Amino acid sequence: MGLIRKIFWVSLTLGFTFVFTILFEHGTQDFAKHAEKEWEGIKKLFEQDPKAAKKPAKK
């Protein structure tokens, strides 16, 4: 039961942090548009290939 409670509070905290970040950075106008934009940014952050990011630049 403790695991379910912890998962609930962690997901609630992440959700409220996401909403607060959008409201703090963009305000209340066009909330849905800005939320979609931020969500796409988060998805792009986690979809990147870590091996491609660590390749050294060619000289």
Side-chain angles (χ1 to χ4, degrees):
M1 194 66 176
L3 179 63
I4 294 171
R5 187 178 324 137
K6 184 158 304 258
I7 291 171
F8 170 74
W9 282 112
V10 168
S11 62
L12 192 69
T13 302
L14 289 174
F16 278 120
T17 302
F18 180 73
V19 169
F20 175 78
T21 303
I22 295 167
L23 290 174
F24 187 75
E25 289 184 3
H26 303 288
T28 57
Q29 294 179 350
D30 293 332
F31 179 81
K33 183 182 84 172
H34 293 299
E36 184 178 342
K37 179 179 162 186
E38 291 292 331
W39 184 250
E40 291 298 322
I42 290 173
K43 284 188 350 186
K44 188 165 59 167
L45 179 69
F46 285 103
E47 288 175 353
Q48 292 177 352
D49 186 17
K51 292 179 182 178
K54 289 188 177 184
K55 288 183 181 177
K58 293 182 179 180
K59 292 183 180 181

